[in-house]
Structure formats: C-alpha cells, structure tokens
C-alpha cells in the first residue's frame, strides 16, 4: 500500500483496526523520501501497531541511531505482542499509546521525510529481552 496523503494515514490505521481479526496487528512503514542503503534496503523502518480490542497501539522506529519504541502509561500491558502476517513481535513493557497518538506519529513520520516522530516519548527497544 502506498500512502499518498494524511487522509491515507487515517485509512491505513483504520484498516489495521477494522480487519477480520480479534488480535493486535503490526505493519511496517517506510518513507520514500529517505535514501536507501548500498544494498538497496531502506535505512529506516517504522512499525505501526494497532489493537482494536484495546483501542491502543504503539510505534517502533529503527534507523542507524538504534531501535526505539513509544512510551505508554504504566497501566498498559507488559510485553505487548503484535502480529505481522503470521509472525508475532513482542515489544517493551508499557509501550502502548492511544490510537490518536499513533495516528499523529505516523502523520509526523510522513510530513518530516521519514524522521522519528517527536510528538511522543521514546524508549530503547530490545525486542523481547
């Protein structure tokens, strides 16, 4: 899917929330405004997660500076797990945030040329450690 507008971001997140599943979903997002590495792969990645049952999600950002995940409130889940196709990915404790903030972060990612959004707090991510 190519997201060509901010309305497209909303449609993309709505698709994550409105799927025919009852579990938490993950999608990988890349900015076409960023350079690719010599190997041809993007030099960054934004993972966007959404749980329709919880009404929460999270964002995770990776680039040459490291791996980072959103910081949520202490009331959110420990070790939240999201599904990408049939693979499960576990994230840092208490990293879930309201869907409205997920939307804001993804929109900022696109309007900033693929930079890590500044509209939320970040924590280093160790993926399941």
């Amino acid at each position: 899917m190519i997201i060509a507008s901010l309305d497209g971001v909303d449609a993309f997140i709505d698709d994550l929330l409105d799927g025919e599943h009852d579990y938490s979903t993950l999608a990988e997002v890349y900015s076409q405004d960023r350079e690719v590495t010599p190997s041809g792969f993007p030099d960054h990645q934004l993972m966007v997660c959404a749980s329709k049952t919880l009404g929460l999600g999270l964002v995770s950002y990776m680039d040459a500076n490291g791996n980072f995940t959103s910081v949520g409130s202490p009331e959110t889940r420990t070790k939240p797990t999201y599904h990408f196709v049939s693979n499960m990915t576990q994230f840092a404790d208490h990293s879930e945030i309201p869907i409205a903030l997920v939307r804001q972060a993804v929109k900022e990612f696109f309007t900033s040329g693929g930079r890590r959004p500044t509209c939320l707090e970040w924590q280093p991510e160790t993926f399941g450690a």
Side-chain angles (χ1 to χ4, degrees):
M1 167 184 221
I2 294 177
I3 300 171
S5 68
L6 295 182
D7 289 339
V9 170
D10 288 326
F12 159 68
I13 293 172
D14 289 345
D15 284 348
L16 288 178
L17 291 168
D18 293 336
E20 295 180 12
H21 48 73
D22 60 356
Y23 53 82
S24 304
T25 306
L26 158 67
E28 296 175 353
V29 179
Y30 303 92
S31 172
Q32 294 182 348
D33 292 337
R34 300 263 310 236
E35 297 294 320
V36 295
T37 62
S39 64
F41 291 98
D43 68 347
H44 69 289
Q45 179 185 60
L46 183 74
M47 287 194 263
V48 181
C49 304
S51 171
K52 89 175 169 183
T53 57
L54 296 176
L56 297 171
L58 65 85
V59 290
S60 180
Y61 184 86
M62 292 176 258
D63 68 4
N65 295 312
N67 300 338
F68 303 91
T69 300
S70 51
V71 174
S73 74
E75 293 82 32
T76 58
R77 296 185 293 171
T78 57
K79 312 247 183 290
T81 302
Y82 285 81
H83 297 78
F84 178 70
V85 188
S86 60
N87 298 313
M88 296 186 328
T89 302
Q90 192 174 75
F91 293 90
D93 293 351
H94 313 297
S95 55
E96 292 172 301
I97 56 177
I99 291 296
L101 189 51
V102 171
R103 288 180 194 276
Q104 183 180 350
V106 176
K107 289 176 181 180
E108 184 179 338
F109 173 78
F110 282 110
T111 59
S112 72
R115 292 186 186 91
R116 181 165 39 126
T118 60
C119 63
L120 52 90
E121 286 186 66
W122 295 95
Q123 60 186 317
E125 178 59 78
T126 56
F127 291 105

